[in-house]
Amino acid sequence: MSVEVIRKAYQATEEGFLSVVTKQWPMNPQIAAVGSCCLVGVICGDSLYVANLGDSRVVLGRVVRATGEVLAIQLSSEHNVSIESVRQEMHSLHPDDSKIVVLKHNVWRVKGLIQVSRSIGDVYLKKAEFNKEPLYAKFRLRETFKRPILSSEPSISVHELQEHDQFLIFASDGLWEHLSNQDAVDIVQNHPHNGIARRLIKVALQEAAKKREMRYSDLKKIDRGVRRHFHDDITVVVVFLDSNLVSRASSVRGPPISVRGGGVPLPSRTLAPCAELGSS
């Protein structure tokens, strides 16, 4: 495991999806406007590798020894042009395009179309040959472009896990739109492990309903397609860390492992003991 291995995995994913788009373009040209954020966490020994494309986020819950409180530590950086530094990055990468980022309906968007500056897919903003008819007019740019507008290069960081690290919250921006890092960490810390991802989603939806001055029960009744007008999609994975496994991993080094199929037993130190998933 290394930063370069993760970078190559992202590149292979991007190239694989581009191949799908190229093959399907004649029959299904709208696939050129399909894209995704991609957030990855890999625990190897006592190291946590975090890679991100787009605006999903991973937050660590760490106990402060002196006080016993659990501190929220954000481990990923986001690629959303609502963040000034990301807008500056886009301007520096495209100095000859004054409209690379546009404020539209009070929301910053790349070319007035999309909020993220990096993604898997979205090839209509990466290769000009896919930004033309029969792609829907709302996705087509008036002027052609010679180099990719969006990037598929992930931000990757490596963190050494510590004895007091309790859990990791991986979530799409739909959660962080309604909950702060510390709010999410407090919820996980103060409730049972079982069902905790679903609980986070419910709290976020309750906040979304409150902002719309409606009841949570009424929001839940709205068809999911229509509900995108009320809140973004939310996916949450909570991984609980066993401090004994983490500390043991720092002192015990086993042989390298190659996993090529299902049913291969892995040493316990390479796995978190519990992962709780939820999606809305």
Side-chain angles (χ1 to χ4, degrees):
M1 179 51 57
S2 68
V3 168
E4 189 57 29
V5 164
I6 294 174
R7 183 173 286 112
K8 287 180 178 178
Y10 270 80
Q11 182 182 356
T13 305
E14 172 77 355
E15 291 173 355
F17 189 70
L18 174 59
S19 176
V20 171
V21 173
T22 302
K23 290 175 182 176
Q24 293 195 14
W25 170 258
M27 302 83 70
N28 179 24
Q30 308 316 321
I31 194 173
V34 173
S36 177
C37 299
C38 184
L39 177 63
V40 171
V42 180
I43 296 175
C44 186
D46 58 347
S47 296
L48 168 66
Y49 293 80
V50 172
N52 189 43
L53 269 184
D55 52 9
S56 295
R57 182 187 306 172
V58 58
V59 173
L60 170 71
R62 174 178 291 169
V63 173
V64 179
R65 189 181 304 181
T67 63
E69 65 178 332
V70 179
L71 187 66
I73 302 173
Q74 184 171 325
L75 301 182
S76 57
S77 57
E78 292 154 40
H79 311 121
N80 188 307
V81 291
S82 64
I83 302 168
E84 184 178 357
S85 61
V86 178
R87 293 199 299 275
Q88 291 174 350
E89 178 185 59
M90 291 299 288
H91 284 298
S92 66
L93 291 171
H94 305 272
D96 53 348
D97 187 351
S98 62
K99 295 184 179 179
I100 187 66
V101 182
V102 178
L103 188 63
K104 189 175 181 180
H105 304 305
N106 211 32
V107 177
W108 287 103
R109 296 181 183 274
V110 177
K111 302 301 289 183
L113 294 170
I114 190 170
Q115 286 186 269
V116 295
S117 61
R118 308 189 197 188
S119 69
I120 297 290
D122 293 312
V123 299
Y124 75 111
L125 291 176
K126 293 175 179 175
K127 291 186 175 292
E129 60 262 39
F130 296 109
N131 196 292
K132 62 182 182 181
E133 292 184 341
L135 187 69
Y136 291 149
K138 64 180 179 180
F139 296 123
R140 298 200 304 267
L141 302 179
R142 292 181 179 179
E143 66 286 345
T144 188
F145 53 94
K146 294 182 179 180
R147 55 197 179 98
I149 294 170
L150 300 187
S151 167
S152 59
E153 180 71 19
S155 293
I156 306 176
S157 56
V158 185
H159 311 268
E160 294 304 308
L161 291 173
Q162 301 179 14
E163 181 182 354
H164 298 285
D165 294 342
Q166 300 295 297
F167 52 82
L168 298 159
I169 306 171
F170 295 82
S172 61
D173 67 313
L175 182 79
W176 309 115
E177 184 181 341
H178 301 293
L179 292 180
S180 70
N181 293 350
Q182 192 62 53
D183 286 341
V185 162
D186 289 344
I187 290 168
V188 174
Q189 178 65 14
N190 296 321
H191 292 90
H193 290 187
N194 189 35
I196 194 62
R198 187 173 294 277
R199 182 182 292 273
L200 284 169
I201 292 171
K202 183 176 181 179
V203 174
L205 293 181
Q206 288 172 333
E207 287 297 316
K210 190 185 300 182
K211 290 174 182 176
R212 290 287 187 146
E213 298 183 339
M214 61 191 302
R215 292 182 299 185
Y216 166 74
S217 57
D218 292 333
L219 178 64
K220 288 285 287 182
K221 293 175 185 175
I222 299 173
D223 179 75
R224 287 194 175 193
V226 178
R227 254 167 60 188
R228 284 300 296 269
H229 297 290
F230 293 83
H231 68 86
D232 205 347
D233 59 290
I234 307 173
T235 299
V236 179
V237 178
V238 179
V239 179
F240 292 94
L241 304 169
D242 188 319
S243 60
N244 293 322
L245 297 182
V246 170
S247 59
R248 198 167 67 196
S250 63
S251 58
V252 179
R253 299 294 181 186
I257 300 164
S258 175
V259 179
R260 298 187 179 276
V264 180
L266 294 177
S268 60
R269 65 183 177 83
T270 64
L271 300 174
C274 176
E276 180 68 36
L277 292 83
S279 185
S280 176

